[in-house]
Amino acid sequence: MTATILNLPSLYEPFSTEAKWQKFWEENQVYKADPNHGGEPYCVVIPPPNVTGSLHMGHAFESALIDVLVRYHRMRGRNTLWLPGTDHASIAVHTMLEKQLKKEGKTRYELGREQFLERAKQWKAESGGFIVNQLRRLGVSVDWTRERFTLDEGLSQAVIEAFTRLYAEGLIYRGEYLVNWCPATQSAVSDVEVENQEVNGNLWHFRYPLSDGSGYVEVATTRPETMLGDTGVAVNPNDERYKHLIGKTVTLPIMQREIPIIGDEFVDPTFGTGCVKVTPAHDPNDFEMGKRHNLPFINILNKDGTLNTNAGEFQGQDRFVARKNVVARLEADGFLVKVEDYKHTVPYSDRGKVPIEPLLSTQWFVKIRPLADQALEFLDQKNSPEFVPQRWTKVYRDWLVKLKDWCISRQLWWGHQIPAWYAVSETNGQIADNTPFVVAKSAEEAWEKAKAQFGENVQLEQDPDVLDTWFSSGLWPFSTLGWPQETQDLATYYPTTTLVTGFDIIFFWVARMTMMAGHFTGKMPFNDVYIHGLVLDEKGQKMSKTKGNGIDPLLLIDKYGTDALRYTLVKEVVGAGQDIRLEYDRKKDESPSVEASRNFANKLWNAARFVMMNLDGQTPQQLGQPIAAELSDRWILSRYHQVIKQTINYIDNYGLGEAAKGLYEFIWGDFCDWYIELVKSRLQQNADPASRRVAQQILAHILEGILKLLHPFMPHITEEIWQTLTQQPADSQQTLSLQPYPQADSNLINPEIETEFELLIETIRTIRNLRAEADIKPGAKVTANLQSENARERQIINSGQVYIKDLAKVETLTINDKENKQAVGEKTPLKGLKTIGLIIVAIVFTRLAYSVGYAIDEVPLFGTFFELIGFIYSTWFISRYLLVADARQQFWAKFFPPATDNKHSLATQSQPEASENAIAGVVGTVQVVIPLKGVVDIEVLRAKLEKSLNKAEAEAQSLRGRLSNAKFVDKAPKDVVQGARDALEEAEKQAEILRVRLQALL
């Protein structure tokens, strides 16, 4: 795809690059799954977004997490399928179309069902793929050839199969029950589609007069209009205040209906007056009491939220208008006792965004207990599915225990029409609560069943309602793979491996899927459930349309690129399931955190350009596997393989954020900031050819490995660089996505070398910091005196002196112990004599060894035995001390310390004290001192430090004054006071540092 190194732009431009690779992956069907392909299956089904939706930050976050897992396991050799699709979203689409019709002055009933559905299908064809195209921009590695829609023919057949089976097994029934009714959408909604909101309301107290004229009882309610449907008053049978009233009646105000006083232990004597009104048709608790005491069920509500004929004079009024009018009438008639302010919880429709009304209605229900109990059995006996984080297991289990029968019918037209046909000829051509029906898979089958039951003249009408969207979504993991047919996809990829979803739909979706799957397939639909948190706004608040605090992911993609946004969202995760906070400047529509990830992409891009420009046009394969030649080579290879091991471990355990951060630190720090800088001198044309070759090999090898490690997180930029690095031809269909993920070589991991090299890095960093503090010019060479009592530390520093001098711009480097005894590399007057003595000892020892060996050789068998020992020892000695350059250097250094030269040797000077115009720092137990005389203008530096000190002291004095003011401390916001305290602490700390630096210049 890409051409040559010469065509690699100097700046990374993500937008054209990302579009190019998204097109390449899809056109070449790179991610098309093949059930015949080898490898252990790894399957994920996408949590299907609503077809009406647009990409929001939650989608971007969830998709990024899934894509990391899928790309990783694909590169690990697993037979991977990520199946995409969308949900038909019954209520959302239906509501949207009705709003359009309202603007045109029409209703769906005027349009008719057939034309309404045709209009919905037309809208789906034109706009329904909007969110799918947005998901494509995220670069998700899904198999687009298997894209599914919940109203597809195949999935619709699965829904019909599931419904008819459950009905035949007695697990679906039709009956009258109190349901959650949404007046806005004019449909029943399930318990999980109800959101409880705390509101500031009122508690109204009314008198209900006893029918015998002996007094009254006082009741309290938050919904006064429902009193029109009261059919009883309840007290606790053990309440001494009201025990004598049980069995009597009261006359209901306004309606003048005589209703009984009943005793029921459900009533809490301590709440309110201890006397409650009972409206069985409009309250779940009253419904149960009404059944227990055979009270009448009077419905006063129309489906649009207005009152019906049972409400008398208030008929036709909206429920909230009627509320005011009922209270006014009761007050006028003398029945109102008092009105209290009352904060309480009101259930709202999640879709309609209005308070729901408990409404007595004939609906279709699923008997939930057999299904929930089977899911509980899988959980308790097999820990299936396994939740990550584990704490969500209890939440899921508690939900399964508490589930009640599931109302699955919705009074809508867009969706899966219920496969039940009513014999309307038996009830005067109308569908009534008592109309007989048949359940069938098709109209033809229904006709045959009805004809056999009701005769040739039967008239049938299909149930106009549709099924709850969650019914079809509950089948998603296996219906998308072909169920109820025994397809190859189903046999290969089911159960799916991992479900990635938010905690907020454990109840909506996860439980539905486990119950359905357990019943129809005998297996849980997925092995793991990875529950992720929410993306919070810059203030740490949940994003919502109501608050208007959402952040558009497409805006950030347009500004910073897809990879930058994806990487930010994943890297911010600290621990599975945790919420993440996204930095965002709303005035500028900028995100510092996403910008940092774009800078990381640029860092990688520039490092890759540098590496490729120094490979002499060769690919990693042409250069071959590296063999470390120097300490820095062994260090970077150890770090690289350590990071491979760490990344694999993190991802395997869903530590995706930790994996992303670990790669960031290695790539930016170890590889770019340190190793590339360390080998620059070795890449020069006049450098040692063997050392240059090794540096090229390691750079190419690790760069390619980095691209593979990072690919699941940032797929586009890594693909672009890899294509260029490996010099793929223009017509190549090779892709980084299908390359094997790196494997750690434990033989190359050396924690000791990593620890040693860390000391060198920190030493270099300390010298650099000291240079910056002293305003030493970047190009100026300095003298650095390093002092440590630890012999091992001195040895490490000595072995890396070339790196220290090169990267810290040190001309003369001195290493001493604290007492200035003989240091590493120290030159002594007796060195020559010691060398001569060592030679004489070696000659004598050699002669003696020869004599002993000759004598032994004369003894039978002994000669051969000792020759064998000598051969083995010689082999070990040569391999240990002579084959590797570093080992040779260390060996000879024991006997012949390196001579002093102007370039790399160590000088032996007395350690300068702070009073000698020097600046000092500490790393580990090593003290670093840089003399400043002759390097900087001491007087200029002193003046600058004094100015900064005066400013810090003035700021500290001002802050002390504010904090000593009692009015400020008592009246100012807590965060402002704490901010002042923090600022004072920082100012005092800066002042102390500046005093120490000034003292060093005296």
Side-chain angles (χ1 to χ4, degrees), residues 367-395:
K367 287 183 180 178
I368 213 69
R369 284 277 31 105
L371 305 181
D373 290 342
Q374 187 177 17
L376 280 169
E377 187 176 335
F378 272 101
L379 183 67
D380 293 341
Q381 295 184 8
K382 301 178 181 179
N383 192 30
S384 179
E386 188 169 346
F387 281 79
V388 181
Q390 193 175 6
R391 67 178 181 272
W392 289 108
T393 304
K394 184 179 185 305
V395 176

Side-chain angles (χ1 to χ4, degrees), residues 643-660:
V643 166
I644 294 174
K645 181 179 178 181
Q646 170 185 294
T647 303
I648 289 174
N649 180 63
Y650 275 136
I651 299 179
D652 283 345
N653 291 284
Y654 298 100
L656 307 187
E658 290 82 353

Side-chain angles (χ1 to χ4, degrees), residues 389-606:
Q390 193 175 6
R391 67 178 181 272
W392 289 108
T393 304
K394 184 179 185 305
V395 176
Y396 165 72
R397 190 184 192 285
D398 289 347
W399 188 255
L400 288 175
V401 169
K402 296 174 184 176
L403 276 175
K404 297 178 181 179
D405 284 1
W406 173 17
C407 177
I408 57 172
S409 47
R410 299 291 181 267
Q411 288 62 56
L412 307 168
W413 286 353
W414 173 250
H416 296 103
Q417 193 169 355
I418 292 173
W421 282 261
Y422 296 91
V424 293
S425 52
E426 303 298 306
T427 51
N428 300 319
Q430 299 292 323
I431 297 177
D433 290 351
N434 62 341
T435 305
F437 60 87
V438 294
V439 170
K441 294 182 180 179
S442 65
E444 292 75 18
E445 182 184 339
W447 174 255
E448 292 300 324
K449 284 185 175 183
K451 189 167 60 172
Q453 188 174 349
F454 303 107
E456 291 282 347
N457 296 324
V458 67
Q459 295 178 7
L460 292 182
E461 186 176 331
Q462 189 175 357
D463 195 314
D465 293 350
V466 299
L467 288 167
D468 177 15
T469 301
W470 296 106
F471 189 92
S472 55
S473 296
L475 309 175
W476 184 256
F478 48 98
S479 65
T480 53
L481 295 172
W483 185 89
Q485 306 301 319
E486 292 295 332
T487 65
Q488 196 172 5
D489 273 3
L490 189 66
T492 303
Y493 297 113
Y494 185 83
T496 65
T497 314
T498 305
L499 174 72
V500 179
T501 189
F503 64 83
D504 50 339
I505 59 171
I506 290 178
F507 329 112
F508 286 88
W509 191 39
V510 179
R512 303 281 190 244
M513 288 188 287
T514 58
M515 289 188 294
M516 292 290 207
H519 185 77
F520 290 117
T521 73
K523 302 173 183 177
M524 286 295 95
F526 20 74
N527 300 327
D528 297 340
V529 180
Y530 173 50
I531 300 294
H532 62 74
L534 301 175
V535 184
L536 306 178
D537 70 4
E538 66 278 11
K539 296 180 180 178
Q541 297 178 340
K542 181 180 177 180
M543 296 184 196
S544 71
K545 290 182 180 179
T546 306
K547 293 179 181 177
N549 64 336
I551 301 172
D552 185 357
L554 293 174
L555 188 150
L556 296 178
I557 287 175
D558 289 339
K559 187 179 289 288
Y560 303 110
T562 296
D563 281 349
L565 176 63
R566 286 172 50 129
Y567 189 71
T568 300
L569 294 173
V570 177
K571 189 169 76 77
E572 291 297 317
V573 178
V574 181
Q578 298 301 307
D579 294 340
I580 68 171
R581 180 173 173 176
L582 188 63
E583 292 181 277
Y584 192 63
D585 184 335
R586 293 187 181 274
K587 293 181 180 179
K588 300 179 180 178
D589 283 330
E590 294 176 350
S591 171
S593 51
V594 184
E595 184 177 0
S597 293
R598 184 200 59 189
N599 295 342
F600 175 54
N602 290 337
K603 183 83 170 181
L604 175 63
W605 181 262
N606 292 330

Side-chain angles (χ1 to χ4, degrees), residues 265-420:
E265 292 187 352
F266 173 79
V267 179
D268 180 3
T270 64
F271 179 76
T273 64
C275 190
V276 298
K277 58 192 282 304
V278 183
T279 319
H282 293 286
D283 183 272
N285 297 321
D286 293 2
F287 177 82
E288 297 298 334
M289 277 198 289
K291 287 197 299 183
R292 286 195 293 270
H293 298 277
N294 296 315
L295 298 178
F297 287 70
I298 300 176
N299 173 33
I300 63 165
L301 201 66
N302 292 317
K303 292 182 177 180
D304 62 356
T306 60
L307 273 57
N308 62 23
T309 56
N310 291 330
E313 66 187 80
F314 304 99
Q315 178 183 351
Q317 296 182 11
D318 177 80
R319 53 181 170 159
F320 298 115
V321 173
R323 176 174 298 178
K324 294 179 181 179
N325 292 335
V326 165
V327 171
R329 170 69 186 277
L330 290 169
E331 184 177 19
D333 292 348
F335 295 111
L336 177 65
V337 178
K338 62 179 177 180
V339 182
E340 296 178 318
D341 291 333
Y342 187 63
K343 181 176 285 189
H344 63 120
T345 299
V346 174
Y348 274 71
S349 166
D350 185 59
R351 287 293 181 189
K353 307 302 180 186
V354 297
I356 63 104
E357 287 289 343
L359 182 71
L360 197 63
S361 178
T362 299
Q363 303 285 345
W364 290 90
F365 295 88
V366 172
K367 287 183 180 178
I368 213 69
R369 284 277 31 105
L371 305 181
D373 290 342
Q374 187 177 17
L376 280 169
E377 187 176 335
F378 272 101
L379 183 67
D380 293 341
Q381 295 184 8
K382 301 178 181 179
N383 192 30
S384 179
E386 188 169 346
F387 281 79
V388 181
Q390 193 175 6
R391 67 178 181 272
W392 289 108
T393 304
K394 184 179 185 305
V395 176
Y396 165 72
R397 190 184 192 285
D398 289 347
W399 188 255
L400 288 175
V401 169
K402 296 174 184 176
L403 276 175
K404 297 178 181 179
D405 284 1
W406 173 17
C407 177
I408 57 172
S409 47
R410 299 291 181 267
Q411 288 62 56
L412 307 168
W413 286 353
W414 173 250
H416 296 103
Q417 193 169 355
I418 292 173

